[in-house]
Amino acid sequence: MPGRLLVSNAILALPGGLSRGDLLCEGPRIVAIGRKVESAGAAVFDAQGLTAGPGFIDVHVHGGGGHSFFRRDPDRIRAYSAWAPQNGLTSYLISTIGRDEDETAAIFESLAPTVAATPGAEPVGFHLEGPFINPLRKGAFDPAMLRAPRPWEFDRYQAAARGLIRQVTFAPELPDALELAAAIAASGALPAMGHTDATAEECRAGFEGGVKHVTHLFNAMRPIHQREGGPIVAALLEESVTCELICDGAHIAPEPLRLAYRVLGPHRAVVVTDNLHIAGTGSEGGQFAGQEVKVTGAKAERADGTIVGSVAPIDQHFRNVVEFLGLDLPTAFRLCATNPARVAGVQRSKGCLERGYDADVVFLDSDLAVAATLCRGEVAFNRDEWRLHPA
Ligand SMILES: [Zn+2]
């Protein structure tokens, strides 16, 4: 019989709201949730005083804890997966950037075996960001690596990744972008718009052509102008798309975040970190994409002021949405777990505390700090040793 773990006395963040109760895991799955659950012979995790919610899922993360996803090195994925549960993360898309074609294919080939086969926070697929993006909105990308969409090039990457690319960020206004969107969708991945200078009209063509998601809304895209709303207004108004929001407090100020959330609502907003490898390390800077970056507060910047990514781990983003948007905890879990699960295509097994779902659980104390994390029924992080009682 697989290992059983009873989570007792938790305040459970269930899809219907908060409820005090127990949760029983058997092997990697949740097998029972209720006021009092029968659990003879199970190990016990005493959650007294903690809120338990679905573990955080990050669909846009390039590394953390000193581990980068830009190398052909599966050990870095394993090291990140072991490190990230301390932030409440239980799954993620390995987000890598398109560069030299052979190198990009080689990265997918070498990292694909780690997907769904790594203990700790589970890599559930890949997010490919670029190279088919607009040089005018390149952010931290090396302009020499950018090119117009080539659907066959994406097909090569998807084959190298064993079909595990789940999200592709590209600019819909580029030539052949709609053919690319069709190739992405045909492969089972999500066409996402980002690093774009598209007009509202070009965005609408993109939505009709299959764009279903928007990569870091506000960042690396044409800003709002009253005579040309551009991608931000177009995305907010298009009810069929979900939108990523980097909620480190630095990439988007609290006011535009509130405005966006008021339009997006709890179903379309997806919190992402866009974390660099130096996230969560306390580092003051480092090398990113071949250039020196300096950390100021939550963000890492180049000497010219270009923001290259966030260094605040996902639990900080969770606390920020609670604070900046005034959300209750069940709603904050929708933004940080349930909605990202849909983007990653794992909504039938992750993103909710429900019977039959993966036992991916984060425990938060009254300061919303992470006290413990279960990844597929295993205790991957436990701040307070006294809570765990072996069978
Ligand atoms: Zn990114």
Side-chain angles (χ1 to χ4, degrees), residues 24 29-33 352-358:
L24 182 66
R29 280 212 235 282
I30 299 170
V31 294
I33 296 179
C352 282
L353 298 187
E354 270 191 67
R355 209 162 71 94
Y357 271 56
D358 286 357

Side-chain angles (χ1 to χ4, degrees), residues 135-367:
L136 290 173
R137 303 290 171 194
K138 64 183 169 24
F141 277 79
D142 175 355
M145 293 299 175
L146 306 183
R147 45 199 175 265
R150 301 192 287 186
W152 47 265
E153 184 181 328
F154 164 73
D155 289 338
R156 179 184 173 193
Y157 296 152
Q158 188 60 297
R162 305 180 183 180
L164 294 167
I165 300 176
R166 301 281 187 219
Q167 175 181 346
V168 182
T169 296
F170 64 97
E173 69 276 22
L174 299 178
D176 294 332
L178 300 184
E179 286 77 359
L180 175 69
I184 295 165
S187 81
L190 196 68
M193 168 178 109
H195 289 272
T196 172
D197 198 51
T199 61
E201 196 184 334
E202 288 165 333
C203 292
R204 281 193 293 275
F207 301 141
E208 271 163 37
V211 168
K212 287 277 177 281
H213 182 67
V214 178
T215 299
H216 43 53
L217 186 76
F218 290 108
N219 299 114
M221 56 179 64
R222 175 200 282 257
I224 298 176
H225 186 280
Q226 69 274 23
R227 285 189 292 280
E228 173 48 76
I232 300 170
V233 173
L236 287 171
L237 292 176
E238 176 57 46
E239 288 179 12
S240 68
V241 301
T242 42
C243 291
E244 294 178 3
L245 297 166
I246 304 176
C247 294
D248 59 3
H251 278 73
I252 312 171
E255 288 76 16
L257 187 66
R258 273 184 217 123
L259 175 65
Y261 182 72
R262 208 169 282 184
V263 183
L264 293 172
H267 191 65
R268 293 175 54 208
V270 175
V271 170
V272 297
T273 64
D274 204 1
N275 270 167
L276 302 176
H277 65 288
I278 53 175
T281 62
S283 158
E284 288 173 1
Q287 282 282 314
F288 180 77
Q291 292 204 42
E292 199 60 40
V293 300
K294 197 169 131 8
V295 174
T296 334
K299 62 185 193 262
E301 302 173 292
R302 286 207 188 125
D304 67 3
T306 307
I307 300 186
V308 301
S310 162
V311 297
I314 191 148
D315 55 318
Q316 184 61 53
H317 295 241
F318 181 90
R319 288 187 290 274
N320 288 347
V321 294
V322 170
E323 189 192 328
F324 300 158
L325 303 176
L327 300 186
D328 57 29
L329 297 184
T331 306
F333 280 113
R334 287 179 72 176
L335 272 59
C336 296
T338 317
N339 298 345
R342 287 204 323 273
V343 174
V346 293
Q347 69 274 26
R348 284 188 195 85
S349 57
K350 292 180 184 294
C352 282
L353 298 187
E354 270 191 67
R355 209 162 71 94
Y357 271 56
D358 286 357
D360 291 342
V361 187
V362 58
F363 297 89
L364 304 175
D365 67 17
S366 54
D367 296 325

